[in-house]
Amino acid sequence: LREFATRYHLPAKFMLCVARAYHTGHDGLPPWPGGNVEGLARGYRAYRQRGGTLPLVVAGTEIERYLLSNGFSRQDLLGMSFAGFIPYREIGLAYNLATFFVLTTLYESFAFPLVEALASGCPAIVPSTGACPEVAGGAARLVDPRDSEAIGAAMLELDRSPSTREQLRSAGLERVKAFTWE
């Protein structure tokens, strides 16, 4: 874990988002923006304005470039660090090191990142849309992905409440037992 944290320049404590700003095009369509990383950045800014200090590490390709080219300034991204792409065989290490996980996508059809977080014992904040409520089964903090104030408030809640994080961690480890490849 220490070697992984050093290689990706991870802080001692952080919240984690595993994101993708660009979806690859399907059926000849060009790549398009996705993942609601804009909502993530706005939610994190709201968290910091409420006094939150925990850094946000975003794993994913070109997220910082995408945000900077879409109206966000370096000041807007203060406290955020961008780890870049983390290979699947290593992403579990990021979940294991994170204080909690945040996902702000507008729609998840199954939410593999949520299942990965649950399986890693990483407390999670996930959207109240798409499949996340069903997949979470009460083992994650649900939030409206379009409401940056609500995202920030949920971040602050998990940051400041070790008991809530422990409750979600335990519930997540139990919930993930319901999922198999079958």
Side-chain angles (χ1 to χ4, degrees):
L1 288 174
R2 277 191 294 260
E3 186 275 328
F4 174 81
T6 300
R7 189 163 21 106
Y8 285 97
H9 310 286
L10 301 178
K13 292 185 176 189
F14 62 93
M15 63 179 91
L16 172 70
C17 179
V18 177
R20 180 170 58 175
Y22 285 103
H23 291 278
T24 55
H26 299 288
D27 299 324
L29 295 172
W32 70 91
N36 193 28
V37 291
E38 303 91 342
L40 174 71
R42 288 186 194 103
Y44 184 69
R45 185 171 52 209
Y47 159 80
R48 289 185 54 94
Q49 288 170 345
R50 292 172 181 230
T53 60
L54 194 63
L56 170 61
V57 172
V58 183
T61 304
E62 309 248 358
I63 306 296
E64 182 178 26
R65 183 186 65 79
Y66 171 78
L67 289 169
L68 290 172
S69 67
N70 282 281
F72 288 84
S73 69
R74 294 251 179 240
Q75 184 67 27
D76 292 330
L77 306 181
L78 194 64
M80 296 176 69
S81 64
F82 300 90
F85 177 75
I86 298 176
Y88 183 74
R89 66 184 174 358
E90 295 183 307
I91 196 68
L93 299 171
Y95 288 109
N96 279 286
L97 288 167
T99 303
F100 59 90
F101 170 72
V102 182
L103 184 67
T104 60
T105 52
L106 298 176
Y107 186 86
E108 287 285 332
S109 58
F110 180 72
F112 274 106
L114 170 55
V115 176
E116 291 170 340
L118 297 176
S120 299
C122 186
I125 299 169
V126 297
S128 58
T129 57
C132 285
E134 181 180 354
V135 171
R141 172 72 163 74
L142 301 178
V143 66
D144 180 347
R146 293 175 186 86
D147 185 343
S148 57
E149 291 298 320
I151 294 167
M155 290 173 170
L156 196 62
E157 175 189 0
L158 263 62
D159 178 12
R160 294 194 173 161
S161 179
S163 62
T164 301
R165 290 194 310 269
E166 180 53 34
Q167 177 188 7
L168 291 174
R169 187 192 75 73
S170 295
L173 289 170
E174 189 59 35
R175 174 65 179 149
V176 79
K177 293 176 184 176
F179 299 103
T180 67
W181 284 111
E182 291 79 32

